[in-house]
Amino acid sequence: MIRLDQVSFSYTDEQVSRPAVQDLSFTLEAGQMVVLLGPNGSGKSTLAWLIKGRLLPGKGKVIVDGLNTLDKNQRRQVQNLVGLVGPVPDHQFISNLVADDVAFGPQNLGLERAEINRRVDAALKMVSMEDYAQYPPYLLSGGQKQRVCLAGVLAMQPRYLILDEATSMLDPAGRQQVLEILAKLRQERKIGILLITQNLEEALLADRVAIMHQGRIAIDLPFRELAASPDLLKEYGMEEPPLLHMASLLKKHGLLPNHCFPDSLDQVVKALC
Amino acid sequence: MESAAHRWDARSKITAVVGLSISIIAASHWLQAAAAGLVILILLVLSCISWRYYLSNLHLLLILAAITSLLQLLVVPGRVIYTLAGVTLTWEGLLAGSWLLFRITGVLLLAAWLTFTTKPGELTAGLERLLAPLQFIRFPVQELVMIMTLSLRFLPLLAEEAQQIQRAQLIRGVNWSKGSLKQKGRYVVAFIVPLLRLSLQRAEDLAEAMENRGYQAGITRTRLYAQPLSRSDWVLIAVTGIVLMAQLL
């Protein structure tokens, strides 16, 4: 389990100190998917880096499976347990060949070559990119690139996965592909997933939705509870996704039962017919 | 297509390229040059890559080599072949020019052969293993090879950034083909400064991505391409050695 206890962190230079995260407490369990929403500058990426052990809390502590990121020896293990995928795929490629790029992480773990090859094959298959192993990454589409980045992290077999706006630069089809992979990872590998996004529609698959505001977790609720409170969303500058807005209108007019939270248009049609 | 040349280990290919390049540059007799040239020709045939592909990728460099050779033809004094408008062509110039063209073409073809038949990862891994003995004198071989890998990664990225800056300038009315020399100088500065800034930003992004995937300077990394040399690799090294030895005779 990932646990943040009363964590604070500020970006400082010689003149100013800007608090990015303040007294933040948060948990993520293995096999759980939490969507983290919030406007730019609310501290979402800082939170991701604190969990990954790339930033250290000024106050409080970050514990990942019992390992404290403040401990230098334990931090290295934490960094291997937590995989982080960033928003721009082009900035995450290290090698000139998809297979070599996916192998980069396992190579750093010092694994046997046969094991590395096995992990590379499995990771590429997981993201349906096995046919592109010998391609240069820059020849791939945006969605394919992001899937390769995901494979690069999965090949390290992390227990937790953080996607920091990893779907923000993708078209709807590419975004859908990544979300389907995440659902599969969660079910089959019991990986704990923290999906940082600006898009509430991606929260449909999540167990919980957290909203960050000015460096704090302002809301941490199961998705259904949040979806049932559109005013709460508006309060934090979030727009209700069109599908949920339609569902709430249908409920208001008694056309849809109150317990129904559709995650696709097909479900709405089914409920109506 | 996977040819015999593609299957050879990068170490034997790098050895062959370095050895044959030295041979062709150091050759003082036509027989020595012919031996090196013949081996290069065989290597090109074994790569199963069409001549057209080699030429299309090298044509600019070959034109440059031809111009350099032509200058030799014009400036080397000796027995006159022909004089036209004050320019004298000599037999010695012709010989020197031909030698130079032969040598440059040979080296360029070898370099192209190596890069066309070897994956970038194999190339850097081969170099790492060849330079491994230097680690005993604390030479940072792994770091050097990582720099090479990243440089190879950076080339398409830089080209893309350069294109983007050029497009952005074009939209803002920059026309490279018009304007005074001073104006063109300004355009160059306006092009280079953002390119440098973006390059530094990309370098930082890359460092972050590497650290995110567990890279740290000095860690023991698994070599991805580390198979033992095969019999055909040894044959290639031996042939290179023979050609190199022939230069001493």
Side-chain angles (χ1 to χ4, degrees):
Chain A
M1 185 172 80
I2 293 175
R3 203 179 78 235
L4 281 83
D5 284 336
Q6 299 288 308
V7 169
S8 293
F9 177 85
S10 299
Y11 290 102
T12 50
D13 66 15
E14 285 165 7
Q15 276 123 31
V16 285
S17 173
R18 187 177 66 81
V21 164
Q22 296 176 72
D23 293 325
L24 187 144
S25 295
F26 176 78
T27 58
L28 173 70
E29 284 175 34
Q32 207 176 42
M33 182 164 165
V34 176
V35 163
L36 187 64
L37 300 159
N40 289 339
S42 58
K44 305 187 297 294
S45 296
T46 305
L47 176 62
W49 283 56
L50 283 163
I51 295 172
K52 176 79 179 161
R54 296 289 309 282
L55 292 177
L56 300 177
K59 210 184 94 193
K61 57 187 175 184
V62 179
I63 308 287
V64 179
D65 285 353
L67 303 163
N68 192 332
T69 59
L70 287 171
D71 184 304
K72 200 179 172 186
N73 296 323
Q74 293 180 11
R75 195 185 314 145
R76 175 95 181 136
Q77 293 177 59
V78 169
Q79 288 175 345
N80 292 337
L81 282 174
V82 180
L84 177 65
V85 182
V88 188
D90 279 320
H91 298 173
Q92 296 168 78
F93 290 124
I94 294 142
S95 305
N96 274 326
L97 214 59
V98 165
D100 286 0
D101 194 79
V102 176
F104 184 83
Q107 275 182 282
N108 294 332
L109 295 176
L111 301 170
E112 294 276 315
R113 203 144 38 94
E115 173 63 10
I116 292 176
N117 290 335
R118 197 192 60 74
R119 284 192 184 196
V120 169
D121 291 344
L124 285 173
K125 205 170 175 185
M126 190 74 180
V127 299
S128 307
M129 286 298 289
E130 63 271 35
D131 295 337
Y132 296 88
Q134 300 303 318
Y135 271 58
Y138 57 85
L139 287 184
L140 304 175
S141 71
Q144 288 173 328
K145 281 179 185 173
Q146 197 56 288
R147 280 189 280 156
V148 172
C149 290
L150 195 53
V153 172
L154 291 179
M156 294 182 78
Q157 296 193 343
R159 210 168 289 170
Y160 304 93
L161 188 60
I162 304 173
L163 289 101
D164 188 2
E165 309 220 8
T167 53
S168 62
M169 294 186 79
L170 303 182
D171 60 14
R175 188 180 298 152
Q176 193 53 38
Q177 282 169 345
V178 171
L179 292 177
E180 279 167 16
I181 293 163
L182 294 184
K184 206 158 80 173
L185 283 171
R186 193 177 144 207
Q187 272 183 349
E188 291 176 12
R189 296 203 188 172
K190 303 285 172 226
I191 290 180
I193 298 168
L194 178 64
L195 179 63
I196 298 174
T197 179
Q198 306 258 12
N199 188 348
L200 188 59
E201 271 184 50
E202 290 172 16
L204 291 166
L205 298 167
D207 296 300
R208 275 161 44 215
V209 182
I211 297 179
M212 271 193 91
H213 184 68
Q214 294 178 345
R216 297 171 204 270
I217 300 269
I219 289 168
D220 190 349
L221 290 172
F223 172 70
R224 292 185 170 205
E225 280 183 41
L226 188 68
S229 335
D231 293 341
L232 210 54
L233 288 173
K234 273 182 200 151
E235 197 183 321
Y236 292 100
M238 301 277 146
E239 274 203 27
E240 198 181 9
L243 187 70
L244 290 180
H245 184 66
M246 184 173 70
S248 61
L249 284 176
L250 289 169
K251 281 174 195 171
K252 205 183 269 179
H253 290 89
L255 295 166
L256 211 62
N258 273 337
H259 63 269
C260 180
F261 289 94
D263 54 20
S264 69
L265 203 57
D266 287 348
Q267 281 190 11
V268 178
V269 175
K270 251 184 213 169
L272 285 172
C273 299
Chain B
M1 195 176 76
E2 274 278 291
S3 68
H6 286 85
R7 282 191 295 273
W8 278 328
D9 191 283
R11 283 169 293 170
S12 58
K13 286 193 266 190
I14 294 169
T15 310
V17 166
V18 173
L20 292 171
S21 297
I22 292 171
S23 301
I24 209 162
I25 290 166
S28 53
H29 191 272
W30 72 268
L31 262 174
Q32 293 169 332
L38 184 71
V39 176
I40 293 172
L41 204 67
I42 293 170
L43 292 181
L44 295 179
V45 171
L46 285 176
S47 71
C48 294
I49 295 168
S50 75
W51 288 100
R52 199 172 292 171
Y53 189 74
Y54 277 108
L55 291 177
S56 67
N57 279 280
L58 291 176
H59 73 280
L60 276 178
L61 289 170
L62 289 175
I63 290 170
L64 209 66
I67 292 170
T68 316
S69 307
L70 204 66
L71 286 174
Q72 288 271 324
L73 186 70
L74 300 176
V75 297
V76 175
R79 288 166 292 154
V80 177
I81 306 171
Y82 195 74
T83 305
L84 184 70
V87 180
T88 309
L89 303 182
T90 62
W91 284 109
E92 282 72 15
L94 185 66
L95 197 68
S98 308
W99 260 116
L100 191 67
L101 185 63
F102 177 72
R103 282 169 172 157
I104 297 175
T105 309
V107 173
L108 286 177
L109 284 170
L110 274 171
W113 174 79
L114 179 66
T115 49
F116 293 167
T117 59
T118 320
K119 291 175 194 163
E122 286 176 349
L123 201 62
T124 45
L127 202 67
E128 187 182 354
R129 292 191 80 186
L130 281 174
L131 297 176
L134 293 177
Q135 282 173 327
F136 292 113
I137 54 164
R138 296 194 175 178
F139 186 81
V141 173
Q142 203 183 30
E143 282 73 15
L144 181 82
V145 170
M146 183 54 74
I147 290 168
M148 274 187 60
T149 310
L150 297 179
S151 306
L152 287 171
R153 165 78 192 100
F154 242 66
L155 288 178
L157 213 61
L158 267 183
E160 206 174 296
E161 302 286 10
Q163 261 181 3
Q164 276 178 13
I165 294 168
Q166 265 184 335
R167 273 190 219 125
Q169 287 186 337
L170 202 70
I171 291 166
R172 286 162 178 82
V174 170
N175 189 346
W176 285 76
S177 57
K178 285 182 185 170
S180 63
L181 205 63
K182 195 178 167 187
Q183 190 133 38
K184 279 180 183 168
R186 271 196 211 130
Y187 291 161
V188 171
V189 173
F191 173 76
I192 287 175
V193 172
L195 188 65
L196 268 174
R197 197 184 60 80
L198 280 170
S199 306
L200 291 173
Q201 182 63 49
R202 292 294 155 268
E204 206 177 309
D205 293 335
L206 209 59
E208 265 175 28
M210 287 167 70
E211 280 177 15
N212 276 343
R213 288 207 260 158
Y215 181 80
Q216 277 181 345
I219 57 162
T220 311
R221 301 184 73 232
T222 310
R223 285 185 181 128
L224 211 54
Y225 304 95
Q227 68 272 38
L229 293 175
S230 67
R231 197 179 294 171
S232 58
D233 285 309
W234 285 114
V235 170
L236 179 63
I237 293 168
V239 170
T240 306
I242 291 166
V243 175
L244 204 55
M245 289 290 283
Q247 309 307 321
L248 302 173
L249 298 175

